[in-house]
Amino acid sequence: MKGSKKSIKRVSIMLVIMFALCAGYLIKIISFDRNAMIINSYNPRINSSDNTVKRGDIRDIDGYVLAYSEYTPEGYVRKYNDAVTSCQVVGYTGAGKYGIEAAENFTLQNIDSELFQRLRRFIKGTEVQGDNVYLTIDKDLQDIASNLMGTNKGAVVVEEVSTGRVLCMVSKPQFDPQTVADDWDRLKDDENSQLLNRASQGLYTPGSVFKIVTTVSALRNMTDVYDFSVDCAGEEEFNNKVIHCFNNKVHGTENIIDAFANSCNVFFSEISTQIGAEALRYTADEMLFNTGVPFDLSVSVPSVQLNSSSTESELVETSIGQGKTMVTPLFMASIAQAIANNGVMMKPYIIDHVENYDGVAVDTTIPEAYANILTPDECDKLKEMMIEVVNRGTGYNADSDYFQVAGKTGTAENPSGNDHLWFVGFAPADNPQYAVSVVLENGDGSANASVIARKMLYNAINRDELN
Amino acid sequence: MFDLLVLVSRYLFIIYIVVFIYNGTAYLLDEAGLTRHSHRRSIFTCRTMTALMHITAFLIVSYNKEAITYSVPILLVGAAGLAFIIMGNSIAEKVFKGGCPLIWNCVIFLLDISVIMLVRLNFTLAVKQLIWICVGFFATMWLPFCVKMVPKFEKLENVYIILSFLLIISTLLLGSKEYGSINWIYIGSFSFQPSEIVKFLYIFYLASVFRKKVELKQFIITAFLSGLLVILLVFQKDLGSALIFYMTYLVMLYIATSNEALFLSGIGALMLGSAVAYSLFSHVRVRVAAWRNPWADIDSGGYQICQSLFAIGTGGLLGSGLTRGMPLSIPVVSKDFIFAAICEEFGTIFAICLIGIFMLLFIRGMMIAFKCQRRYYSIIAAGFTAMMAFQTFLIIGGVIKLIPLTGVTLPFVSYGGTSILVSILSVSFIQWVNGYQKAAERNEVRER
């Protein structure tokens, strides 16, 4: 009889532990997983908004109001204030939600000190108001980038090197967030995908900007990279795959610095056969391909699909950024940011801070290092090569009178129409402040990615003088 | 003004439940002889808290915001519920001489949460639930009488186990499918889950066998029959019930034998069995995949659990406030997922306290088993407590993604006639054991 009493006691303790686990797990969900969990297009609560309270504003870094709510007798309605150039970032609400309107829905709807605010409305008739979200983007830079891109489709991203904050994120073509609900039938199936934020979600063939990765892999896997040279005849055949240089240009005998500056496809194809598919894939994975970098808005994951069974033609195509490789403009901006920041990739962010009804900042984003993807030595070598690109190579259009730009161009062949034009880089090279990534879809010559990059860097560096 | 009430109510509900748990714990400690409190005051406070919660909640759920009026039918149901809270306790105490008032209080609190949540989700279901609760309590009143009618019911082990197998096998042959499991039998318009009735038979069977010293022979027979029962349930895809039966067997065996090695090897066998079931049955693999990463398969397998997590996460610590959430977007919300709805609207703090109330109930149940001098009754009380506790753990753990989801109901809270009847009757057996022990103690004193 005694033994069974002891057993009952022990079983009781086991039950208590089981339920304590449940309680502990609930606390874990609420304190750690909550935000990542509930911002999901499958969560129907995202689409419900209470129009009896004033949804918070969305503002740019200087406080310019991009989105606000206005009182009408039927309840609050959402208004957008000249926000077309930031439309995919700000997003929309009404016909579903997108952009910051979706990602920060619960913040914009969160009524700080709700009890106090409701009592105050009951007594004094003041508004009950959600929290305001301040973004890191600058509306002036958004307007400038949109202007520079003209009618081209594509994206521009400007990131601050030391923090990873995104000062500019433009995607073209654009739409008017104010009339999304009315234009919904036209917009939702539009072949131009205006609603898509190309900067963070658009997957593009990188073309020659991928040579940054191939170069890093060569530095890591070959002992005598600088002694390696190739005689470029404008084209070369690899395992039934003919690789051409741009316009079949003959570059002659080059080392890696020349080849990087000239964006020589033959050289990089040759060097990739020295590196091997597995090693190149490994370097790409170390540089966060196939995992991607988290962001406040939805992102697509960049991918490289090499493996031990890849053929030589797949390998050489990948090494020059063709083949199945895909990147987003935001991801390439982060790569440039890491090169400029001694290899430390900062976690890119677009929400600067959140402030409550009383103007008190309740949540401020603190920049954080996300990953160490390059060594300082590799960064120095890449920087040197990227300066040569601008000074004497394919990126001459990015050469500025005011500061030294470092960068890499790309022309990505694609099945639909003209090549995509890329420029990825940073400035000033000796003390990098801003990283930039520009892509123009099916570039028709009306705009030049290198020129846009140079002008965006100039305006970002001289941001104080804007407006 | 109404918004203000809803807002303030979130704090009120937390205060009510915390005061309830404080007094419940005081009662428990007192019962265990660790402290000296006034029993009556603790119990009175618990009951008052339940009544206050009931009134506050019904003031909210019966209000129609668009029409700015109160709904009379809901208020009537609320009044009936209030009468039940005030009277139910005293009636139960009269019928069960020596039943523990704390257990009745916990049960009524849980039932009340159920009715409140159901009124908010679907008023028709709430009315049905209230009727089932009344039927349950009415049936319970006859329990002491029935037990007296069968004086030697500890000697009927063969009857219990044969009936159990008949019921389970008949489900396999005649049952119809609901939510992926074949565990319902329809007779005309009346439907029931045989596995729920087997719960009682099974516990009586085990207690009858284990009331004497457990020899190798008894162990082998019970282990074999229990294993067979569990396997049949797995074939019916009723994984939840299979797990509950298995764990109940282990606990009752452990209490009867006090053999840790046996218990631990039982757990080992469970892991092995789970691994085998995982490789054999696709429905097990689907459940496990939905548990490991529901987000990957949010359109089908992971849908339920994701919707549940959305509700819990969006509600946050204090909840959205009663009527202000979107619990209707959770699948099977009135049954298996009602805990997620409570988390969303009452908040996680309240939900954790609700787990605390379940703990009070189960600890008290185990204490009754501990105190009971007659081995047979002690094992019965422990068996029923363990069975309810595992069921509660399975569904709460499943809904919050702590463990893979198995579709069982949350005792006292989920909607459903069978669930309510079984929960109330289970707790009644525990109460009856307590009454038996108290009477025995009184007789002892008298004989001296």
Side-chain angles (χ1 to χ4, degrees):
Chain A
M1 203 64 191
K2 233 176 168 167
S4 84
K5 299 299 175 200
K6 211 167 91 188
S7 313
I8 291 175
K9 235 180 193 169
R10 288 193 175 165
V11 168
S12 314
I13 292 169
M14 185 181 81
L15 295 183
V16 170
I17 292 173
M18 271 163 37
F19 288 105
L21 268 178
C22 284
Y25 195 78
L26 264 177
I27 293 170
K28 176 196 166 261
I29 289 181
I30 290 299
S31 18
F32 299 110
D33 311 341
R34 186 175 178 217
N35 282 340
M37 198 167 78
I38 61 180
I39 311 293
N40 191 309
S41 57
Y42 282 86
N43 186 352
R45 290 156 196 85
I46 274 201
N47 289 327
S48 80
S49 22
D50 179 359
N51 69 359
T52 63
V53 299
K54 186 171 190 273
R55 189 175 167 87
D57 296 347
I58 300 175
R59 304 189 186 188
D60 88 341
I61 193 158
D62 299 322
Y64 180 88
V65 179
L66 293 161
Y68 62 101
S69 285
E70 200 172 64
Y71 182 76
T72 69
E74 286 84 43
Y76 283 95
V77 291
R78 198 65 166 163
K79 296 274 184 184
Y80 296 91
N81 189 6
D82 193 15
V84 172
T85 56
S86 312
C87 58
Q88 293 93 351
V89 170
V90 170
Y92 49 80
T93 169
K97 286 193 173 72
Y98 187 71
I100 292 293
E101 293 276 30
E104 289 297 293
N105 179 53
F106 297 115
T107 309
L108 294 165
Q109 257 172 228
N110 176 51
I111 303 164
D112 202 63
S113 315
E114 186 170 2
L115 209 55
F116 168 74
Q117 286 205 55
R118 293 222 185 247
L119 266 175
R120 198 176 59 168
R121 170 157 82 178
F122 190 62
I123 296 163
K124 288 164 73 179
T126 51
E127 291 183 303
V128 173
Q129 185 195 333
D131 292 346
N132 297 329
V133 172
Y134 281 74
L135 303 179
T136 58
I137 57 169
D138 182 335
K139 175 165 188 303
D140 300 315
L141 287 179
Q142 296 285 105
D143 291 350
I144 292 168
S146 295
N147 252 329
L148 289 171
M149 290 173 78
T151 55
N152 286 273
K153 294 181 211 165
V156 170
V157 175
V158 178
E159 244 185 71
E160 189 174 53
V161 167
S162 58
T163 58
R165 66 175 178 160
V166 175
L167 261 86
C168 173
M169 176 175 265
V170 168
S171 168
K172 281 220 161 187
Q174 291 157 334
F175 60 89
D176 185 354
Q178 192 67 62
T179 56
V180 163
D182 300 330
D183 300 343
W184 187 249
D185 289 328
R186 179 173 62 79
L187 287 172
K188 72 177 191 317
D189 301 319
D190 194 289
E191 58 179 19
N192 289 326
S193 314
Q194 280 134 294
L195 298 173
L196 180 78
N197 187 347
R198 287 168 154 80
S200 58
Q201 289 179 288
L203 284 171
Y204 292 96
T205 306
S208 299
V209 291
F210 188 79
K211 286 172 187 161
I212 294 171
V213 180
T214 311
T215 303
V216 172
S217 195
L219 290 170
R220 286 181 188 175
N221 292 291
M222 294 166 65
T223 45
D224 48 357
V225 182
Y226 285 92
D227 299 333
F228 185 81
S229 68
V230 169
D231 186 10
C232 165
E235 62 173 55
E236 191 170 334
E237 191 177 318
F238 295 86
N239 189 17
N240 301 330
K241 175 80 193 171
V242 181
I243 296 293
H244 300 270
C245 278
F246 188 62
N247 287 341
N248 281 3
K249 192 171 157 110
V250 178
H251 292 113
T253 306
E254 315 160 290
N255 65 8
I256 194 165
I257 298 175
D258 305 325
F260 196 88
N262 297 330
S263 202
C264 176
N265 288 342
V266 170
F267 179 94
F268 278 91
S269 302
E270 275 291 347
I271 209 167
S272 73
T273 60
Q274 304 283 317
I275 299 166
E278 266 181 291
L280 183 55
R281 166 68 189 261
Y282 189 75
T283 305
D285 285 349
E286 282 183 321
M287 293 176 77
L288 303 176
F289 277 82
N290 301 318
T291 48
V293 185
F295 188 55
D296 301 324
L297 299 170
S298 303
V299 286
S300 299
V301 176
S303 63
V304 168
Q305 298 188 351
L306 285 179
N307 55 50
S308 53
S309 58
S310 298
T311 61
E312 189 176 75
S313 62
E314 281 172 326
L315 168 63
V316 296
E317 279 195 312
T318 305
S319 73
I320 59 168
Q322 295 295 145
K324 291 171 185 158
T325 308
M326 287 290 172
V327 297
T328 64
L330 176 65
F331 179 72
M332 290 315 294
S334 285
I335 294 277
Q337 177 274 325
I339 297 169
N341 196 32
N342 279 322
V344 180
M345 187 186 282
M346 301 300 290
K347 186 178 164 198
Y349 67 96
I350 201 161
I351 294 158
D352 189 73
H353 68 279
V354 175
E355 111 189 337
N356 71 4
Y357 68 101
D358 210 16
V360 176
V362 286
D363 188 12
T364 303
T365 308
I366 297 158
E368 55 177 305
Y370 180 67
N372 219 328
I373 60 167
L374 299 161
T375 65
D377 181 51
E378 286 164 351
C379 291
D380 289 343
K381 286 173 177 159
L382 282 171
K383 199 188 288 179
E384 185 194 354
M385 290 185 224
M386 288 165 82
I387 290 172
E388 293 301 308
V389 169
V390 174
N391 287 355
R392 64 176 169 99
T394 54
Y396 59 90
N397 272 321
D399 189 18
S400 167
D401 296 341
Y402 305 99
F403 43 76
Q404 177 67 56
V405 178
K408 181 75 195 83
T409 58
T411 40
E413 292 169 22
N414 69 92
S416 53
N418 289 344
D419 296 343
H420 295 333
L421 305 177
W422 276 95
F423 186 90
V424 169
F426 53 87
D430 53 347
N431 175 29
Q433 291 180 33
Y434 295 100
V436 68
S437 162
V438 178
V439 65
L440 298 174
E441 285 175 33
N442 314 115
D444 57 4
S446 66
N448 182 304
S450 307
V451 173
I452 295 176
R454 185 188 77 219
K455 292 188 174 169
M456 288 316 295
L457 287 169
Y458 177 86
N459 283 299
I461 291 169
N462 300 296
R463 202 169 68 83
D464 296 344
E465 291 160 25
L466 290 176
N467 57 34
Chain B
M1 188 61 195
F2 179 69
D3 287 324
L4 266 175
L5 173 67
V6 175
L7 270 180
V8 177
S9 75
R10 301 185 304 174
Y11 300 94
L12 289 180
F13 288 131
I14 291 173
I15 294 172
Y16 299 152
I17 199 166
V18 167
V19 172
F20 186 106
I21 288 183
Y22 175 80
N23 281 282
T25 315
Y27 182 92
L28 266 190
L29 291 175
D30 206 33
E31 192 72 27
L34 296 171
T35 53
R36 290 188 72 81
H37 277 98
S38 161
H39 271 191
R40 286 181 73 159
R41 209 175 60 198
S42 300
I43 293 305
F44 178 76
T45 317
C46 284
R47 201 185 312 177
T48 314
M49 287 304 126
T50 316
L52 285 176
M53 180 183 78
H54 182 84
I55 294 166
T56 314
F58 267 86
L59 280 179
I60 294 169
V61 291
S62 60
Y63 184 73
N64 185 329
K65 216 174 164 184
E66 269 77 54
I68 327 180
T69 48
Y70 277 92
S71 148
V72 176
I74 298 182
L75 280 179
L76 285 176
V77 168
L82 190 61
F84 187 81
I85 292 168
I86 296 166
M87 319 252 292
N89 222 321
S90 347
I91 297 172
E93 273 167 42
K94 289 234 160 55
V95 175
F96 280 92
K97 296 266 180 334
C100 168
L102 178 66
I103 291 188
W104 289 132
N105 266 304
C106 288
V107 166
I108 289 173
F109 189 96
L110 294 171
L111 290 172
D112 196 42
I113 281 287
S114 168
V115 172
I116 291 167
M117 218 50 228
L118 287 172
V119 168
R120 185 258 174 272
L121 294 171
N122 181 337
F123 182 60
T124 333
L125 290 189
V127 175
K128 282 189 184 168
Q129 181 87 334
L130 208 56
I131 294 170
W132 278 116
I133 291 171
C134 293
V135 171
F137 270 89
F138 185 75
T140 284
M141 286 187 212
W142 296 93
L143 184 86
F145 178 72
C146 293
V147 176
K148 264 186 203 153
M149 291 294 287
V150 191
K152 298 279 176 206
F153 77 117
E154 64 259 50
K155 296 200 171 142
L156 300 174
E157 59 246 45
N158 294 332
V159 177
Y160 299 139
I161 195 70
I162 290 167
L163 271 179
S164 298
F165 273 98
L166 281 180
L167 277 167
I168 293 289
I169 292 167
S170 68
T171 332
L172 264 181
L173 300 177
L174 310 169
S176 44
K177 214 168 165 176
E178 196 150 302
Y179 302 121
S181 319
I182 319 162
N183 50 11
W184 288 81
I185 283 190
Y186 286 84
I187 301 169
S189 63
F190 180 74
S191 67
F192 71 106
Q193 261 180 298
S195 63
E196 298 289 324
I197 299 172
V198 175
K199 281 180 176 174
F200 296 98
L201 297 171
Y202 184 64
I203 287 181
F204 288 139
Y205 163 71
L206 286 181
S208 307
V209 178
F210 290 158
R211 76 179 194 277
K212 288 169 273 183
K213 194 162 168 26
V214 183
E215 304 289 351
L216 189 64
K217 185 185 146 203
Q218 282 91 355
F219 165 65
I220 290 173
I221 293 175
T222 56
F224 174 74
L225 291 175
S226 306
L228 202 61
L229 203 65
V230 168
I231 288 169
L232 283 175
L233 286 167
V234 172
F235 268 105
Q236 290 177 15
K237 303 193 180 180
D238 194 351
L239 300 176
S241 298
L243 270 171
I244 293 169
F245 277 100
Y246 187 78
M247 287 311 294
T248 308
Y249 173 68
L250 280 190
V251 163
M252 290 176 76
L253 181 71
Y254 175 58
I255 288 172
T257 60
S258 309
N259 188 335
E260 277 90 20
L262 215 53
F263 184 76
L264 292 177
S265 38
I267 298 282
L270 173 68
M271 307 224 169
L272 208 70
S274 311
V276 171
Y278 181 81
S279 56
L280 280 183
F281 302 111
S282 65
H283 62 271
V284 179
R285 283 196 293 276
V286 169
R287 295 281 169 104
V288 173
W291 167 64
R292 286 170 64 172
N293 189 0
W295 314 104
D297 193 18
I298 194 166
D299 275 318
S300 54
Y303 184 75
Q304 291 187 329
I305 186 75
C306 284
Q307 290 299 332
S308 166
L309 290 175
F310 288 148
I312 297 169
T314 315
L317 280 179
L318 285 170
S320 61
L322 195 53
T323 70
R324 293 216 305 178
M326 290 179 72
L328 287 166
S329 65
I330 313 166
V332 227
V333 64
S334 60
K335 291 182 171 176
D336 301 7
F337 281 90
I338 197 157
F339 187 74
I342 294 170
C343 284
E344 174 172 16
E345 296 210 324
F346 286 88
T348 310
I349 297 176
F350 185 87
I352 288 172
C353 292
L354 200 67
I355 295 176
I357 290 190
F358 275 109
M359 278 164 85
L360 280 181
L361 182 61
F362 301 140
I363 293 172
R364 184 70 187 103
M366 282 297 175
M367 275 169 70
I368 288 174
F370 185 83
K371 278 197 174 164
C372 184
Q373 296 297 321
R374 193 163 160 193
R375 187 173 156 100
Y376 179 58
Y377 291 161
S378 169
I379 294 179
I380 283 186
F384 276 113
T385 309
M387 186 169 261
M388 281 198 290
F390 285 123
Q391 181 166 344
T392 309
F393 174 72
L394 277 186
I395 190 59
I396 291 183
V399 161
I400 66 175
K401 202 180 86 73
L402 174 65
I403 52 173
L405 184 70
T406 44
V408 293
T409 54
L410 183 60
F412 305 107
V413 186
S414 287
Y415 168 74
T418 322
S419 172
I420 288 294
L421 285 181
V422 170
S423 309
I424 293 178
L425 282 173
S426 305
V427 99
S428 305
F429 276 106
I430 301 170
Q431 292 288 51
W432 186 80
V433 170
N434 195 39
Y436 169 85
Q437 176 59 22
K438 286 217 164 143
E441 278 168 18
R442 269 198 303 277
N443 287 339
E444 223 168 83
V445 172
R446 209 174 301 154
E447 275 163 24
R448 262 183 229 158

